[in-house]
């Protein structure tokens, strides 16, 4: 009994470590994209990072990481008020950890100009890295979007549309502040972000289904179970023309 409890405890500890590692990996990827690709080009295409980039330019005494701390603190307080601490869960950690990683990146290697000298190349990484990070965080059941959680609980508003409106307002503000060229890049980034996030979420846990129709299923089942360490569902069928009995294997 004790050995069973110890094995279960080790399994839970390993599961928690994997969860914590994936969560932080997603947040670090997001932070790198913000600091090294979004901020130097003023790519403010939505979210707390976009708003922070705008505010950091308007009030240069505070950097992007500083404004992310302030904005996320306000959002966490609103989350406590409207959602309660139990509902917030890992969202509290995710919000502050992202601010921390952004601040660490700014401290370790501060940059104010494009790293590649190519705005389009920077835009690709400004979209891809945070989108991949967000997909990893979302995939394991965590979130950094407190606004979406509040909207989901208290309104019948479609969250995607509400967040898109807020992102568009930030893009328009970026176009006003940084010029039409940057604004157009931000529009491309906003469009690209939605496609990349959806694609990354779908492909992280991608599963392929294989259907095999055969009159001799056992050798195939042996291969699937013993060699591939998988299982399969077997159904009995018959050929429409020959009427011979067949097995349909789905794995």
């Amino acid at each position: 009994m004790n050995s069973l409890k110890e094995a279960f405890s080790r399994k839970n500890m390993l599961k928690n470590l994997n969860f914590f590692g994936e969560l932080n990996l997603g947040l670090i990827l997001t932070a790198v994209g913000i600091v090294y690709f979004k901020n130097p080009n003023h790519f403010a295409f939505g979210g707390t990072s976009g708003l922070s980039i705008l505010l950091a330019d308007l009030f240069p005494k505070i950097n992007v990481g500083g404004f992310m701390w302030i904005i996320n603190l306000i959002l966490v307080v609103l989350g406590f008020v409207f959602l309660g601490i139990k509902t917030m869960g890992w969202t509290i950690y995710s919000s502050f950890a992202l601010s921390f990683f952004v601040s660490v990146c700014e401290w370790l290697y501060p940059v104010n100009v494009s790293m590649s000298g190519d705005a389009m190349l920077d835009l690709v990484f400004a979209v891809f890295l945070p989108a991949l990070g967000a997909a990893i965080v979302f995939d394991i059941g965590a979130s950094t979007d407190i606004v979406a959680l509040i909207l989901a609980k208290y309104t019948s508003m479609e969250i995607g549309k509400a967040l898109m409106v807020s992102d568009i307002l930030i893009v328009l503000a970026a176009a006003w502040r940084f010029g039409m060229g940057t604004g157009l890049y931000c529009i491309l980034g906003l469009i690209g972000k939605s496609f990349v996030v959806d694609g990354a979420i779908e492909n992280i846990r991608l599963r392929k289904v294989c259907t095999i129709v055969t009159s001799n299923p056992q050798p195939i089942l042996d291969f699937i179970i013993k060699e591939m360490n998988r299982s399969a569902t077997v159904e009995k069928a018959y050929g429409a023309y020959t009427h011979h009995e067949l097995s349909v294997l789905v794995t």
Side-chain angles (χ1 to χ4, degrees):
M1 182 63 74
N2 288 334
S3 60
L4 188 62
K5 286 182 179 179
E6 288 175 4
F8 184 73
S9 177
R10 283 196 298 270
K11 185 177 180 180
N12 278 343
M13 184 174 69
L14 185 61
K15 184 178 179 181
N16 290 334
L17 285 173
N18 288 337
F19 175 90
F20 194 68
E22 285 187 43
L23 176 59
N24 283 287
L25 173 62
L27 296 173
I28 289 170
L29 289 173
T30 303
V32 169
I34 292 169
V35 174
Y36 299 121
F37 298 100
K38 277 188 175 183
N39 185 37
N41 297 280
H42 300 137
F43 291 153
F45 43 81
T48 56
S49 62
L51 184 56
S52 297
I53 289 169
L54 278 169
L55 292 173
D57 187 76
L58 291 168
F59 307 100
K61 288 187 177 181
I62 304 177
N63 58 17
V64 173
F67 275 112
M68 288 193 70
W69 278 105
I70 295 169
I71 294 169
N72 281 324
L73 178 60
I74 294 170
L75 291 176
V76 166
V77 171
L78 289 174
F80 283 150
V81 173
F82 291 103
L83 300 172
I85 189 169
K86 290 184 179 179
T87 305
M88 294 282 285
W90 281 98
T91 303
I92 302 170
Y93 173 84
S94 300
S95 299
F96 287 133
L98 179 58
S99 304
F100 171 76
F101 290 133
V102 168
S103 295
V104 168
C105 288
E106 289 181 321
W107 174 72
L108 285 175
Y109 190 71
V111 292
N112 296 312
V113 294
S114 169
M115 294 185 69
S116 68
D118 185 334
M120 185 56 73
L121 183 61
D122 282 352
L123 180 64
V124 170
F125 282 93
V127 170
F128 177 74
L129 290 176
L132 179 59
I136 292 172
V137 171
F138 180 82
D139 183 66
I140 60 175
S143 173
T144 58
D145 205 332
I146 297 171
V147 175
L149 294 175
I150 295 173
L151 287 173
K153 184 173 182 179
Y154 287 97
T155 73
S156 58
M157 187 184 304
E158 291 186 27
I159 296 171
K161 289 183 178 179
L163 295 177
M164 179 64 75
V165 169
S166 69
D167 288 344
I168 289 172
L169 291 174
I170 292 174
V171 167
L172 291 175
W176 166 78
R177 179 66 183 174
F178 305 121
M180 185 54 68
T182 299
L184 291 174
Y185 274 117
C186 290
I187 292 172
L188 286 176
L190 184 60
I191 295 169
K193 181 177 72 171
S194 61
F195 285 108
V196 175
V197 170
D198 291 343
I201 290 172
E202 288 175 1
N203 284 283
I204 283 176
R205 297 290 175 90
L206 185 66
R207 295 289 182 270
K208 293 183 178 180
V209 176
C210 180
T211 302
I212 304 166
V213 181
T214 177
S215 59
N216 186 20
Q218 197 55 51
I220 301 171
L221 289 173
D222 290 341
F223 177 79
I224 292 172
I225 294 168
K226 296 176 182 177
E227 301 296 329
M228 298 181 67
N229 295 316
R230 300 276 181 172
S231 186
T233 299
V234 183
E235 296 179 355
K236 291 298 179 181
Y238 66 89
Y241 180 75
T242 63
H243 296 285
H244 291 164
E245 186 176 282
L246 299 168
S247 295
V248 180
L249 283 57
V250 181
T251 186

